[in-house]
Amino acid sequence: YLDFEDECSSQASESFYKDYINYQLHSFLKDKDIETLLKNAQAVYTELPFYSMDGNEYSNGVMDLVLKMSDKSFIIIDYKTNIQEEADRKLFEERILKTYRSQLDFYEKILRKMLSLSEETKVECHIYFMNDDKYMKN
């Protein structure tokens, strides 16, 4: 879509983009796993910004969705727009987890630091693929 943006009128582009976002949001909220998590969450944080200084290294970013569950555990959900390419779902999940493992581990580390969470506090990191409506727990 973005490759053809210059060929579309700005009004048509804006309309398409809004429709696409509405569709993605509706699909996300309709997912049974997501629906259950949101219903059981004690608190929901969207677009949670973070800033971190580790020695001379500065990091900043945004965690897409963080849920504080009623059992005091946390779930971080990272949205991805990757399109599933492999026919074999297991191979796809293994590749994705390898690709994003360090990012998810970093998010967990940052959340623990931000909230002064103990090592006993359960923190899970999950991925939701927006383009193919797939939710993946790690």
Side-chain angles (χ1 to χ4, degrees):
Y1 167 73
L2 294 177
D3 293 339
F4 300 106
E5 186 172 6
D6 292 336
E7 296 176 29
C8 299
S9 73
S10 62
Q11 188 174 13
S13 297
E14 185 177 325
S15 176
F16 175 84
Y17 186 69
K18 284 180 181 178
D19 289 346
Y20 178 75
I21 295 299
N22 283 333
Y23 168 78
Q24 295 293 1
L25 180 60
H26 179 70
S27 296
F28 177 75
L29 293 173
K30 213 170 71 168
D31 182 283
K32 293 297 178 196
D33 291 323
I34 299 296
E35 182 180 10
T36 300
L37 288 174
L38 290 171
K39 283 182 180 177
N40 293 320
Q42 183 179 3
V44 176
Y45 305 96
T46 60
E47 300 293 317
L48 183 65
F50 64 84
Y51 310 91
S52 175
M53 194 70 169
D54 190 9
N56 289 333
E57 204 163 308
Y58 173 77
S59 300
N60 71 313
V62 174
M63 289 182 231
D64 295 327
L65 181 64
V66 177
L67 306 174
K68 180 179 182 183
M69 306 309 290
S70 55
D71 66 357
K72 307 300 183 215
S73 67
F74 289 84
I75 298 175
I76 300 168
I77 300 176
D78 191 43
Y79 311 135
K80 297 294 179 199
T81 56
N82 304 53
I83 296 174
Q84 183 173 340
E85 296 173 1
E86 290 87 351
D88 184 328
R89 178 75 181 170
K90 187 174 189 308
L91 289 176
F92 172 71
E93 290 180 5
E94 288 173 5
R95 180 178 63 82
I96 290 300
L97 286 177
K98 278 184 188 176
T99 302
Y100 296 112
R101 170 59 45 212
S102 61
Q103 178 188 8
L104 298 175
D105 289 346
F106 180 70
Y107 284 173
E108 178 181 347
K109 178 183 171 183
I110 291 294
L111 187 70
R112 286 184 183 283
K113 187 175 179 180
M114 283 172 53
L115 302 178
S116 301
L117 301 176
S118 70
E119 285 300 315
E120 292 78 39
T121 302
K122 184 178 173 184
V123 177
E124 295 180 11
C125 297
H126 303 176
I127 299 174
Y128 186 84
F129 296 95
M130 300 302 283
N131 286 338
D132 56 351
D133 303 325
K134 301 282 189 216
Y135 177 63
M136 191 169 86
K137 302 175 187 178
N138 62 6

